[in-house]
Amino acid sequence: MAQPQRSDIHAPRIFRGVATCYCASPLNLLTSSRNKLLDVLEGFFGGVGRRVSEQPKLTLLICFLFTIAAGTGIPSLYIETDNTYLWIPQNNIMWANFIFNRDTFGGQARDTLVLIEGKDGGDLLNHDSLSAIMDFHTAFTTTVAAPTGEIFQDLCFKTPNGCDASNFLVLWSYDAANIPADAAAILAQINGFAEILPTEITFGGLTYADNAMQPDPDNPTVISGAKSVRMHYKITNNDAAASNAWEKEFLDWTDPYVSEVIDVKRAAKRSFDDECVRLVQGDSPLFAGAILALTAVLACTFGKMNKVESRFLVTWAVLVEILFCLVFAFGMLGHCGFMMTNLNAMCPFIVAGVSVDDMIVIEDFFNKAEGKRNRMSEAMKAAGVAITITSVTTIVAFLSGCWCDMPAVRSFCLTCTFAFTWDFFLNISFFPALIVLDQRRIEAKKHFLCPCCITVTDFDVADEQVKMFLKNAMKDRKKIPKERRMSQYSRPAPFKRSSFVDIKAMRPDEHKPTGLEDFMDNTFAPFLTRPAVQAVVVIASLAVSGTFGYVSQFTPTGIDVPDALPDDSYITTYFEQTSEYWKGEDVRPLTIVMKDLDYTNAEKVGQMTDYFDWVETLSYTASNVGSSTGGWYKNYILYLQANGLDQYADFNAKLEEFLATDGGKTLASDVICATTEVSTCSSVKTSRFLVWNKSPSNTATLYDISKEMSDKLQTYEGLDAFVFTEQFLYAMTDSVMYNYILSNLKLTLSLVFVVMIVFTDNVSSFFITGMVFMIDLDLLGIMYLWGVNISSVSFVCLAMSVGLCVDYCVHIGHAFTHSHGDTPNKRLAEAVQMLGTSVVKGAGTTLLGTVVLAGASSLIFRTFFKMLFSIVAVGVMHGIVVLPVFLSVFYNIVEKVSKGGGGDFVERETRNSYFDNKRVSELGWAGIQVYEEAKLDPGKASGALEKKGDAEARL
């Protein structure tokens, strides 16, 4: 029989029905380009595997040196811990208001919160308890000092009456000697305190006097006792370092505060940041334990369970690869001038979970290449393209998160992008080098734990397996016609028959799959090919995704402050007491900022006062505008009236004079003056007004408050103003998270589809992208069912979900595309047999590592556990069940339509799927030529198969 001519060897490669020489349409051009890319990648990875096999130690050295070079940027890495900056979107009006307020007035005053309750729940409104509270106040304001010597009196927020302590002790002028001994006199003064600040805001656990003493028995206001009291102390933020230092001394001084009469709970401005840092530090061992658990499980799956062929040491070297990825990622952050945040502590676990999947695939293909001439080269040739696709999609998924204008999310996604980029490099170099070195150990019969000192002389199983495999391989090869063996090298799929895609053909006759591999091959794969099963999978998956997508719109939005803190945090205790005594309502100062208001214009001033009157009528307003001091404006108007001046005509003329008085000096920080050459305060440029708010700390509630107050301001055309408190920033953040999630999902799906269309066929690209979309819908529904609110935390989890779950779909989809089955169900079975075991092992190890996070010390990390567990579970389910079934059903439908006389698209896809990938290898080179002729007339495609004998004769 004649041999193929040289021109035949260079015949156009056919990939799913389109030859590179027939590129008349954009679709064919895309396919041609894709084929060339896959050719290049196959050759590249084969060469990489060969080089690694030849010089594994040099490969390890190169990886180490490059990692160290990138890691030199770590010393210049800046670590940011300010949660206000990290977790707030910065392209919105609320953030602009925050920056304006900070730059104009030096930022918000720093609130120090103190909650005092009686010992054993006793009453506080008696002489002894009030004296103890007064002693605490005196020591607090005069004794606690920063290392540089500042005390509360130096840092406090000044009012006309001195430091703003905003508490009821002003009744006795902050002097214990003024507290009456008579209980009735104390209660009379306490009830009179309502004229300054409502008593139900200050006192908790109230008991009321008899109805006879109540003005309105249905709404009692006269109190007879209280179990708790809360007080606010304000310090300025002009010297942030001094304020931070003083707050630390105060928190240490009250940890705990010793008294026989009262218990003290407290929180300061820095408390939230401090507790977040403590949370990360406290749970870091948990994340380390999760990685160790993941690695330990992996150690049981790599190699074989005997004293020589176990790859135990290679498994633990995975930790080194993870460390290299982190060094590279953090080093690149430093080189590029980016910051690091506490959220980046999640990166090691995420890298470990994704990296393990690719390692399992490489090790699995390496094992299946047993007996090959260049084992690692064949393994990398087969695994390299799939790993490239999964790595690129993972990198793109995290890169898409970098668009987010929340610095913490952007830094996290960027860190993961760098880490997974380097992880891809290490997975095709560092890890194969370790496998090669370990294989040399196995061939030398060295013990898996002590390869340097123990040789197992009585071990020869591996040698016998290799000999038997080579014997069977040669025997099987002789059965294949020579022209077919040559045609194997012209296979249209990247996974050529000459490697080891055919699972059964590559195993020795004596070797049969066991355990999970046996289940996937002989039970699970055939089960998925049943029509009834496929119908159930299609209907159920679509129904679940549709239902979950619908219910996701009802998922609550927002997160409570204690949820982001350790369970044992003293801040959590403070909020628990607030919830017990005040039904969860917290008190906070709101700032109303007026910009460029002409105070000499009666109409505009009337709009301002009308708005203030409206604010004071709101159910969540706890004081008059201006608080107990009345604010700068009311005090200035009283000053003008006391001097017989007009509040409009003389407003600007006497402003500078008022601010120079003793009372005016304490209020001057609320006024920003316009200056001229002759006056330092000719008019008011910007001013602010304080009002106290009472409401739950839930961000959804706070967002509704901010929206209502802001919307009301918009109705006054003459006012350029805004309402602000720092908590509104977090409320706004959570309110936009649902839109952020949808925007990120759209962007990520688009990028994933682009990546898939570059590396695989159009149909697989569509279905893999569809699987990612269905997974995200399922995750949104699971959030609703599992009680996970939509917040910045869940946004981070959903942002990384694509990067985690896309691997499972890509591996199986890629295997389905390049399988050799001549029917859709055979393709499904072969894809599951080829990579199903690897995917399940990778997902299983990640799941077991994730379970460790269930013991996290805060709700926020337990939310990460819920989301990560769901991501992996739903991802692997769609990867090994839903996706192959959808592909099989789709091509079954295409086949039936084609037989019924379908259109050109159906005929082309049918020929692509079944003719090229199976029949061409049977026909050999002549069959390719027959097929090329048949393509011109689709009706001849089926007849071409019958001309096999004629085709062989033509050779």
Side-chain angles (χ1 to χ4, degrees), residues 146-437:
T148 52
E150 293 89 353
I151 63 173
F152 177 76
Q153 303 292 342
D154 301 319
L155 300 170
C156 70
F157 190 81
K158 298 295 192 300
T159 70
N161 299 320
C163 287
D164 184 4
S166 297
N167 63 60
F168 73 106
L169 297 179
V170 69
L171 290 171
W172 303 290
S173 302
Y174 302 104
D175 188 349
N178 298 329
I179 301 175
D182 181 55
I186 291 175
L187 290 175
Q189 290 177 319
I190 291 295
N191 282 296
F193 181 67
E195 298 178 2
I196 301 175
L197 197 66
T199 52
E200 66 271 14
I201 298 302
T202 301
F203 300 101
L206 292 171
T207 56
Y208 293 93
D210 296 336
N211 288 342
M213 301 180 62
Q214 303 292 344
D216 181 3
D218 295 332
N219 297 290
T221 57
V222 179
I223 64 175
S224 61
K227 294 182 178 181
S228 183
V229 62
R230 55 186 174 188
M231 301 183 291
H232 291 72
Y233 295 87
K234 286 179 174 295
I235 61 174
T236 65
N237 200 31
N238 297 331
D239 186 349
S243 299
N244 260 312
W246 180 86
E247 286 180 347
K248 185 178 186 305
E249 292 299 321
F250 160 70
L251 294 172
D252 292 341
W253 176 67
T254 52
D255 185 25
Y257 180 78
V258 179
S259 172
E260 296 179 356
V261 183
I262 60 175
D263 287 327
V264 176
K265 309 294 189 297
R266 79 283 189 237
K269 174 70 170 62
R270 65 172 293 157
S271 295
F272 188 79
D273 293 342
D274 289 346
E275 289 297 275
C276 286
V277 172
R278 186 171 73 88
L279 171 64
V280 173
Q281 293 175 345
D283 280 348
S284 292
L286 196 66
F287 284 98
I291 295 176
L292 291 177
L294 187 150
T295 308
V297 174
L298 194 63
C300 299
T301 63
F302 270 18
K304 300 177 182 178
M305 299 301 292
N306 59 59
K307 53 190 173 182
V308 172
E309 293 178 302
S310 172
R311 300 194 186 277
F312 184 82
L313 295 180
V314 172
T315 303
W316 290 102
V318 168
L319 298 178
V320 178
E321 181 169 334
I322 296 172
L323 177 63
F324 280 12
C325 291
L326 297 179
V327 170
F328 179 86
F330 294 147
M332 292 304 297
L333 285 179
H335 284 306
C336 298
F338 297 109
M339 66 180 178
M340 179 181 173
T341 72
N342 291 331
L343 183 61
N344 290 1
M346 289 288 296
C347 290
F349 182 79
I350 303 302
V351 172
V354 175
S355 180
V356 161
D357 297 339
D358 290 339
M359 293 177 184
I360 290 176
V361 171
I362 293 174
E363 195 265 350
D364 189 45
F365 277 124
F366 183 79
N367 291 337
K368 291 170 181 176
E370 187 176 5
K372 293 292 180 178
R373 179 179 177 182
N374 193 319
R375 192 169 175 181
M376 183 53 70
S377 178
E378 294 293 338
M380 291 304 299
K381 185 185 298 183
V385 174
I387 290 175
T388 300
I389 298 174
T390 58
S391 297
V392 172
T393 50
T394 300
I395 292 170
V396 165
F398 279 101
L399 193 61
S400 66
C402 296
W403 70 269
C404 181
D405 56 350
M406 288 189 293
V409 177
R410 186 165 57 240
S411 175
F412 171 76
C413 291
L414 192 60
T415 302
C416 288
T417 299
F418 284 132
F420 285 119
T421 300
W422 198 239
D423 179 64
F424 171 67
F425 174 78
L426 295 178
N427 274 339
I428 65 173
S429 57
F430 182 83
F431 182 71
L434 293 177
I435 291 290
V436 169
L437 291 176

